[in-house]
Amino acid sequence: MDTSTQTDPVLNSVSSFELFFKSNYPAACLVALRYLKDEQQTEDIVQETFMYLWQKRAELKVERNLKQYLFCAVKNRSINYLKREKQFDQQITPGMDNYFTDDREADFTEEELAARIAGSIESLPSQCKKIFLLAYQENLTYGEIASALNLSKNTIKTQMGIAYKVLREKLKNYVLTLFMLPFRQFIR
Amino acid sequence: MKDNDQNKWERWASLLHDNQSGPGAVKPEDQDNADFLMANRIFSLRTKVGRALRLRPAEEAWTIFKGRLYQPKRNTEFLKYAAVFLISALITGSGFWLYNRITSDLNDYTLISSPNGQISNVLLFDGTNVWLNAGSTLKYRRSFNKNDRQVFLEGEALFSVTENAKIPFIVQAGDARIKVFGTEFNVKAYKNEAKVETVLITGKVQFSAGGESVVMSAGDHLLYSLNTREIIKNKVNTGEYTSWKGGQIYFDDESLSNLTQLLERWYEVKFSFSGEHIKSYRFSGVINKDRSLSYTLNIIRDINKVEFEIKNENILIKDK
């Protein structure tokens, strides 16, 4: 009955924690980057949060799932960091406190999906990846990419189609589980 | 069928990235097509994805994490909020050691030392992050970041250099000079080893020594021999060269004499050999700085068929 308050099996060994760390590290950083600008600070906070999870593993009774717990903890640490900074530096605009406590802020699906997309991009064939990133990250038009890489516009078009198709394929399974989660909780 | 599918993706990609196709290109049946919605989702998340792409790879972050895992608890609060300039002793023991030597001279130097047995992390005034390995010294003028960004290194350091197009970052290691344009790279130049080794993790640097100049790109390893004045360049797995900052070090067929030099710096001991031939025994493997000296010696003993005779800080290596 009370399975939800047991220590999560992920916390039982370093090797399972390693898996948990590696698959959630990028999304955790993205959660912190909602609030922080500095990438070094972000990575520090995420490292500390993982360390906290690991060190407190005996006492932690994680409800629902560990991943959600991790993202919430990263979010809270980021906010606390900003609040402390605020004493020295008027970085935070008024009204931002409400923004922090908004419950919708506990939805991390965008970060998870973005992290997954980034991972999938890394696995595209190199030419395809190069073309895709120029369009997707540098906002270049097909014409601009074609002349930059000395390729035909048609090649760019084909490669972009392939990129999207491959990304969609790679994200398929993931998106299924992502959107199924709320239902599972509901059934329970 | 297949062609149709490919066409569909090409059409959507053009819609999202190449406005040339004009309005009206979205067909009514697209609107509730799950694939089309996914393409839109991928597109709309591009800012977040861009951030994710710039992150340190999870693999590398884990190495750092693992390095901290087995250390005794320390107060990390001061690390987070220390101001411009910061040194931390990462590996156990007696805290950290830093001294500022300030004289009234124009060429005033600030000197940072990482004593034997410790790894330090230093943040320079320009935001550059330096991991200083055991037994290494870094110094720079007080005018650092005003007219130049020059540092002098003896030993090994991993630099993560803040970009500044106006003031290039220069590492002087012996007579070798490495000029940097915002990048991450490792330099190894211990006085008792007649060589300077540089590994570039990201970005671009220019390495000059002995009248020669070489431009390095990511993944390049450069070895400059002080004896032959020759520069040798090859490609490497950079992880093996940067792992020491997490207290772990890889050896790939390293001689026992090189290995013991490193252990001397890490554990503050002195090695001697009962015969010259023992110095050339080879060792491959990983040594973890968090482990005790006797644990590490056991590994070496098992691999090399040698024995150790330990008298205080002096360790004699002989054949089994």
Side-chain angles (χ1 to χ4, degrees):
Chain A
M1 225 27 233
D2 205 24
T3 49
S4 61
T5 54
Q6 297 266 312
T7 301
D8 196 288
V10 161
L11 296 171
N12 286 341
S13 77
V14 179
S15 58
S16 58
F17 193 69
E18 178 175 354
L19 268 179
F20 175 74
F21 182 103
K22 285 179 183 169
S23 55
N24 293 299
Y25 177 84
C29 288
L30 289 184
V31 170
L33 280 169
R34 278 188 195 174
Y35 311 97
L36 307 172
K37 288 196 194 97
D38 180 54
E39 277 159 24
Q40 184 62 48
Q41 191 59 52
T42 298
E43 299 204 3
D44 285 352
I45 281 179
V46 171
Q47 286 270 0
E48 283 163 23
T49 313
F50 273 111
M51 189 56 85
Y52 176 83
L53 272 186
W54 179 253
Q55 283 171 345
K56 300 277 173 197
R57 64 189 178 283
E59 301 132 63
L60 276 183
K61 298 282 176 247
V62 179
E63 287 173 43
R64 279 184 293 173
N65 67 65
L66 192 63
K67 195 164 72 178
Q68 187 72 10
Y69 184 92
L70 165 77
F71 293 152
C72 282
V74 167
K75 180 193 124 192
N76 291 336
R77 273 173 187 257
S78 308
I79 292 169
N80 286 338
Y81 174 79
L82 276 194
K83 281 183 176 163
R84 239 174 302 180
E85 285 262 288
K86 194 180 166 187
Q87 296 165 357
F88 308 100
D89 180 353
Q90 284 321 90
Q91 246 192 13
I92 301 174
T93 51
M96 214 165 163
D97 271 337
N98 294 335
Y99 174 71
F100 287 157
T101 49
D102 193 326
D103 261 359
R104 278 170 302 172
E105 290 294 299
D107 176 13
F108 305 107
T109 45
E110 284 203 347
E111 279 77 12
E112 280 195 72
L113 186 56
R116 229 21 107 94
I117 294 170
S120 305
I121 290 172
E122 295 292 356
S123 67
L124 291 174
S126 71
Q127 175 81 326
C128 183
K129 178 179 160 189
K130 193 192 278 175
I131 291 169
F132 179 74
L133 284 178
L134 285 175
Y136 186 69
Q137 288 296 314
E138 309 299 328
N139 291 322
L140 297 189
T141 64
Y142 285 10
E144 287 166 336
I145 300 169
S147 59
L149 299 180
N150 205 11
L151 293 167
S152 77
K153 234 181 119 173
N154 219 25
T155 308
I156 308 300
K157 194 178 163 199
T158 313
Q159 291 297 322
M160 286 299 288
I162 292 172
Y164 267 99
K165 194 179 160 189
V166 170
L167 290 184
R168 203 277 173 274
E169 249 346 281
K170 289 201 182 291
L171 295 168
K172 215 166 212 163
N173 294 330
Y174 172 70
V175 172
L176 260 173
T177 55
L178 190 66
F179 295 122
M180 264 171 59
L181 259 178
F183 292 110
R184 241 197 274 152
Q185 278 163 17
F186 184 71
I187 291 160
R188 192 197 288 165
Chain B
M1 240 14 238
K2 229 181 181 156
D3 280 344
N4 244 343
D5 193 43
Q6 176 64 26
N7 275 338
K8 170 182 95 177
W9 288 106
E10 284 179 17
R11 188 161 55 82
W12 291 337
S14 305
L15 264 173
L16 295 167
H17 292 283
D18 196 40
N19 301 326
Q20 314 303 334
S21 7
V26 183
K27 296 183 179 169
E29 68 264 28
D30 288 342
Q31 295 300 343
D32 41 34
N33 184 313
D35 285 344
F36 180 65
L37 297 178
M38 192 61 207
N40 267 301
R41 198 112 199 262
I42 293 173
F43 180 75
S44 67
L45 283 172
R46 63 193 186 288
T47 312
K48 277 202 163 85
V49 174
R51 283 185 203 141
L53 288 167
R54 283 190 297 273
L55 288 171
R56 185 193 298 283
E59 201 67 42
E60 217 176 279
W62 171 255
T63 309
I64 295 173
F65 183 83
K66 214 169 58 184
R68 293 175 183 166
L69 207 54
Y70 301 105
Q71 280 166 37
K73 261 195 186 159
R74 69 202 149 89
N75 183 5
T76 54
E77 289 299 298
F78 82 97
L79 278 181
K80 284 190 289 182
Y81 309 112
V84 222
F85 185 87
L86 173 151
I87 288 205
S88 67
L90 278 176
I91 313 297
T92 64
S94 49
F96 55 85
W97 194 49
L98 137 89
Y99 58 96
N100 273 341
R101 216 160 44 189
I102 299 167
T103 59
S104 54
D105 205 284
L106 249 174
N107 275 341
D108 282 355
Y109 284 106
T110 300
L111 200 91
I112 300 160
S113 275
S114 199
N116 284 339
Q118 292 186 8
I119 296 172
S120 304
N121 184 231
V122 187
L123 191 63
L124 301 178
F125 294 111
D126 65 335
T128 293
N129 190 53
V130 187
W131 288 85
L132 206 55
N133 205 348
S136 303
T137 304
L138 189 77
K139 70 178 185 178
Y140 51 86
R141 290 198 191 87
R142 279 176 74 199
S143 61
F144 179 85
N145 205 25
K146 286 202 183 94
N147 314 311
D148 67 32
R149 293 196 292 165
Q150 189 171 27
V151 296
F152 300 82
L153 174 72
E154 218 190 283
E156 181 167 21
L158 176 71
F159 295 89
S160 188
V161 176
T162 305
E163 258 187 88
N164 183 342
K166 283 185 195 135
I167 315 176
F169 190 95
I170 293 164
V171 181
Q172 191 81 43
D175 69 344
R177 190 184 168 88
I178 299 133
K179 198 169 165 188
V180 185
F181 314 93
T183 187
E184 199 182 350
F185 68 106
N186 192 63
V187 180
K188 193 168 157 190
Y190 283 106
K191 260 218 163 129
N192 53 354
E193 297 173 9
K195 61 182 182 183
V196 176
E197 253 185 289
T198 306
V199 170
L200 185 60
I201 294 98
T202 55
K204 225 176 201 130
V205 308
Q206 186 186 44
F207 185 101
S208 316
E212 245 189 291
S213 223
V214 179
V215 174
M216 297 175 69
S217 48
D220 277 353
H221 169 264
L222 228 151
L223 182 76
Y224 169 62
S225 158
L226 297 180
N227 299 328
T228 64
R229 310 259 153 204
E230 239 183 342
I231 302 178
I232 301 159
K233 188 162 101 169
N234 57 312
K235 286 267 175 208
V236 293
N237 170 12
T238 58
E240 296 175 15
Y241 290 84
T242 58
S243 54
W244 59 262
K245 72 178 177 186
Q248 209 178 44
I249 197 137
Y250 291 78
F251 294 96
D252 185 14
D253 199 30
E254 192 71 73
S255 73
L256 205 53
S257 89
N258 278 345
L259 180 64
T260 51
Q261 278 185 23
L262 184 121
L263 296 179
E264 284 180 353
R265 288 193 288 267
W266 271 10
Y267 293 102
E268 295 184 83
V269 289
K270 203 89 200 129
F271 285 95
S272 50
F273 299 85
S274 70
E276 280 298 305
H277 64 285
I278 299 177
K279 286 186 178 174
S280 56
Y281 288 176
R282 316 300 285 186
F283 178 86
S284 293
V286 182
I287 287 187
N288 209 319
K289 195 167 184 305
D290 307 321
R291 299 289 193 177
S292 67
L293 175 63
S294 63
Y295 181 92
T296 303
L297 291 183
N298 274 337
I299 295 178
I300 300 171
R301 172 167 32 218
D302 292 346
I303 292 176
N304 281 297
K305 301 182 174 61
V306 289
E307 255 178 350
F308 299 99
E309 206 177 282
I310 305 173
K311 268 189 203 135
N312 299 324
E313 291 87 41
N314 298 310
I315 303 171
L316 179 71
I317 309 180
K318 47 188 197 181
D319 281 311
K320 211 181 256 182

